[in-house]
Amino acid sequence: MSTELDVVVVGAGFCGLYQLLSLRKRGYSVQVYETAPDLGGTWYWNCYPGARSDSEVPIYEYSLEELWKGWKWTERFPSRSELRAYFDYVDKTFDVRRDIKFNTRVTAAEFNTTTDRWAVTTSDGRVVHPRFFILCTGFASKPYIPPFKGLDTFRGVCHHSALWPQEGIDLTGKRVGVVGTGASGIQIIQESAAIANHLTIFQRTPNMALPLRQQTIDQTSESDAKDNGGYQRVFAFCKTTFAGFALDLIYKNTFDVSTEERRETFHRLWEKGGFWFWLGTFQDMFTNQEANDLAYAYWKDKVRARINDPVKQEILAPTFPPHPFGTKRPALEQTYYEVYNRDNVALINITENPIVEVTPKGVLTQDGVEHELDVLVLATGFDAVTGSMSLIDIKGTDGTMLKDKWAKGLTTYLGMTVAKYPNMFFPYGPQAPTNFCNGPTCAELQGNWVTNCIDHARANNLTHVEAKEDAQSRWVKIVGDTFQTQLFTKAKSSYTGANIPGKVIESMNFTGGLPFYDKYIREVAEKGYVGFVLKSGNEAEVASNGYILHHG
């Protein structure tokens, strides 16, 4: 393979594969590098017990008719095994594997201002020189393991939920400890409670989890929806909603309606399951504390009714919320709260009774109790959004590593580019809707924008596309100003980087909704990519566009 090509894409999950398909369709030479040995991104690595999507189908798939026409889901919220099968179907349909190098990590990248190409180095020692460099590394690809004293002394089995062995771990009859009650922790807890000899859960902050309401897909109804334009309407609707889901905010304020109507609305949303109670509710949920308090009170009452022990009720659904409802991403659960009624389950509130150290036998808490364990699960989250890109030494034209630049605070233009790093894009990254958007919806919207931008460069003999500093500053201000009007500022979460010690506290995402974001980036493109430096290099090949057309 020639070391010069049009595009290198990093990552073979939803975002990376869509970017590959979009670029390949336009005739570009593309090479994808993937650290894992197979497709799926996070759905390759997430093989812990109970791993399942919290986005429902059909929106948690590509909107490409070539795919949805022949693919059949079996559950409303697909399991990890079904998602892996879906990625195999993507390959069967489009032969994506032919352009992917698996078991290959991109370790470094540096832009050459003479050639207007990136020098991209991989873990096998290869250096390739693409015109464009696209990071599709996902928002949850760098696991965070707290620096627990003595962790390396534990004699049992210990794994982070995102680094679970592919062959699995038999938890039957074991003494299991789970640190963390985010989405992964909750799914593991639900699966292990019934088979473990004893389960000890170490909770720092209660998860304001919502009912999943799992359903088996009725294939006749699904087939009718495909034949009658139902799928096309759903995908089109997703692009108009706040978070890219097939649901939207109620464009009324909480106190605009009567107490009875509000109660009926809450009940209806709760019964729908999924994210309806979070993202399908009144529009002032994230801006009005009093409105938010009513939603929390409803949630608290619903949850407490499922927990027998008053002490556990207060730990899991406290009288006074630790943060506004929904300002941390709620997990979706099926039997989570009933788990705490089991005799073989213990709940440790590590806010009041912290972990002192991990011992060879288990976990020692401040009260002097040593919780003996055979298996210790660290469901302790991720260095989200920027963490995965920080694993690569990406050097800009000013000689600064991207991870060093962002260590001082995030700066991007449109949440996809950054000044001093020409010809580099990062869909589903920082200061974009990312954590507040359905993954495939965001992957397609941003993926199309990136491909169109590269098309514009090719059509105009441009070899250098770089965000301007002033345009970047304007976008950063929009992101910050929007965030400051919302209640997310009151929560210590991965939305702000507060879960990682030493990380700058700021909005990691654009929280103004997908419609605003879509309109903004489209207008940038329609105005000739305003806010970018666009220029041609001096290479002889520029005369013939400087692009390597991919045939076959």
Side-chain angles (χ1 to χ4, degrees):
M1 184 187 77
S2 170
T3 63
E4 287 197 355
L5 64 159
D6 294 330
V7 186
V8 158
V9 174
V10 184
F14 267 115
C15 190
L17 292 185
Y18 186 81
Q19 198 70 71
L20 168 62
L21 293 172
S22 176
L23 290 162
R24 185 201 276 177
K25 188 175 182 180
R26 308 283 180 91
Y28 295 101
S29 60
V30 186
Q31 180 65 63
V32 179
Y33 292 105
E34 169 56 55
T35 303
D38 207 350
L39 302 171
T42 191
W43 293 112
Y44 175 81
W45 299 110
N46 278 355
C47 58
Y48 58 80
R52 161 180 319 281
S53 169
D54 59 10
S55 291
E56 60 191 282
V57 297
I59 66 166
Y60 202 61
E61 63 181 297
Y62 296 122
S63 67
L64 302 172
E65 186 170 355
E66 301 98 312
L67 290 172
W68 58 255
K69 196 78 172 177
W71 177 255
K72 295 180 180 179
W73 297 102
T74 64
E75 294 180 305
R76 179 186 180 190
F77 295 94
S79 67
R80 183 255 186 180
S81 60
E82 191 162 18
L83 285 160
R84 289 295 308 283
Y86 176 72
F87 282 109
D88 285 338
Y89 184 74
V90 173
D91 179 59
K92 179 182 177 182
T93 305
F94 291 114
D95 189 19
V96 293
R97 283 189 173 96
R98 76 171 192 246
D99 291 320
I100 303 173
K101 286 193 176 296
F102 295 105
N103 297 303
T104 306
R105 180 184 294 277
V106 171
T107 58
E110 183 173 358
F111 191 75
N112 186 321
T113 55
T114 301
T115 62
D116 280 343
R117 288 185 178 275
W118 283 91
V120 177
T121 304
T122 58
S123 54
D124 59 3
R126 174 180 287 270
V127 180
V128 293
H129 302 274
R131 176 74 69 210
F132 295 96
F133 182 45
I134 305 178
L135 293 152
C136 297
T137 51
F139 74 87
S141 300
K142 184 182 179 182
Y144 172 65
I145 298 177
F148 291 125
K149 178 183 176 183
L151 185 60
D152 59 344
T153 70
F154 180 59
R155 291 199 295 258
V157 175
C158 179
H159 291 287
H160 190 284
S161 56
L163 301 172
W164 203 260
Q166 293 292 314
E167 65 274 15
I169 301 172
D170 185 5
L171 301 178
T172 306
K174 303 289 177 60
R175 297 168 300 175
V176 179
V178 179
V179 181
T181 54
S184 299
I186 284 176
Q187 290 176 338
I188 293 168
I189 287 164
Q190 290 178 144
E191 293 295 314
S192 59
I195 61 173
N197 173 269
H198 191 271
L199 175 63
T200 305
I201 299 157
F202 301 89
Q203 174 193 282
R204 182 182 62 180
T205 307
N207 193 309
M208 298 178 191
L210 298 171
L212 184 80
R213 305 279 190 239
Q214 182 66 292
Q215 296 173 8
T216 300
I217 299 294
D218 180 81
Q219 297 301 329
T220 300
S221 299
E222 203 70 4
S223 180
D224 289 345
K226 292 177 180 180
D227 293 340
N228 297 320
Y231 264 51
Q232 292 97 323
R233 288 191 292 273
V234 167
F235 291 130
F237 177 62
C238 285
K239 295 174 184 177
T240 70
T241 66
F242 179 82
F245 288 87
L247 55 89
D248 203 4
L249 296 171
I250 299 169
Y251 289 97
K252 294 180 183 178
N253 291 323
T254 302
F255 296 102
D256 289 345
V257 302
S258 66
T259 301
E260 182 180 358
E261 182 180 343
R262 184 165 55 246
R263 185 79 183 179
E264 289 174 353
T265 300
F266 283 166
H267 177 72
R268 174 174 54 82
L269 297 174
W270 188 265
E271 292 304 311
K272 281 178 175 287
F275 286 143
W276 279 89
F277 192 78
W278 181 41
L279 298 173
T281 189
F282 297 103
Q283 65 180 1
D284 57 348
M285 158 74 91
F286 304 121
T287 56
N288 184 320
Q289 185 64 63
E290 290 184 11
N292 190 281
D293 288 343
L294 289 180
Y296 177 79
Y298 184 93
W299 174 86
K300 174 175 63 69
D301 290 346
K302 284 290 188 181
V303 167
R304 286 192 170 202
R306 295 165 59 187
I307 304 166
N308 297 336
D309 182 352
V311 174
K312 291 180 180 178
Q313 286 179 347
E314 185 61 30
I315 295 172
L316 294 163
T319 303
F320 302 104
H323 54 79
F325 178 80
T327 54
K328 286 188 175 183
R329 186 182 179 108
L332 298 185
E333 57 81 29
Q334 299 181 79
T335 58
Y336 177 61
Y337 293 106
E338 285 74 15
V339 161
Y340 294 98
N341 298 327
R342 299 180 61 92
D343 292 335
N344 68 327
V345 174
L347 173 62
I348 311 299
N349 181 359
I350 60 174
T351 298
E352 296 181 356
N353 184 20
I355 293 173
V356 174
E357 66 178 310
V358 177
T359 70
K361 293 182 178 180
V363 173
L364 177 68
T365 46
Q366 192 176 70
D367 59 2
V369 175
E370 184 177 31
H371 306 271
E372 295 191 3
L373 304 170
D374 302 307
V375 180
L376 177 59
V377 180
L378 301 174
T380 47
F382 300 87
D383 182 355
V385 187
T386 58
S388 55
M389 283 185 277
S390 72
L391 294 172
I392 306 172
D393 290 333
I394 305 171
K395 186 182 289 188
T397 56
D398 61 354
T400 304
M401 292 292 184
L402 183 63
K403 58 188 171 186
D404 295 333
K405 180 185 287 286
W406 282 351
K408 302 172 185 176
L410 278 174
T411 53
T412 79
Y413 182 40
L414 310 181
M416 288 187 283
T417 65
V418 59
K420 306 299 183 185
Y421 297 80
N423 296 4
M424 185 179 83
F425 302 95
F426 38 88
Y428 215 53
Q431 296 188 335
T434 309
N435 283 130
F436 293 84
C437 187
N438 176 48
T441 305
C442 202
E444 293 188 6
L445 185 146
Q446 291 184 300
N448 290 336
W449 191 94
V450 170
T451 298
N452 289 338
C453 183
I454 294 174
D455 271 355
H456 178 80
R458 179 172 64 179
N460 292 279
N461 291 341
L462 303 171
T463 60
H464 186 110
V465 179
E466 180 183 352
K468 293 180 180 179
E469 295 273 10
D470 61 340
Q472 181 172 266
S473 296
R474 286 195 299 273
W475 180 250
V476 170
K477 187 175 188 304
I478 288 171
V479 171
D481 288 351
T482 302
F483 190 68
Q484 289 302 318
T485 67
Q486 299 165 325
L487 299 176
F488 298 110
T489 57
K490 296 185 177 184
K492 294 181 179 180
S493 74
S494 60
Y495 289 166
T496 64
N499 64 316
I500 304 298
K503 200 167 184 176
V504 174
I505 306 302
E506 59 187 330
S507 179
M508 305 298 292
N509 304 271
F510 171 68
T511 55
L514 191 63
F516 178 95
Y517 181 78
D518 183 32
K519 182 174 184 290
Y520 195 98
I521 65 173
R522 279 192 291 106
E523 288 180 353
V524 166
E526 290 164 1
K527 293 176 181 177
Y529 296 91
V530 64
F532 286 94
V533 174
L534 305 172
K535 59 185 180 181
S536 298
N538 296 315
E539 293 179 87
E541 65 172 311
V542 172
S544 60
N545 288 336
Y547 296 90
I548 304 163
L549 292 181
H550 176 77
H551 299 286

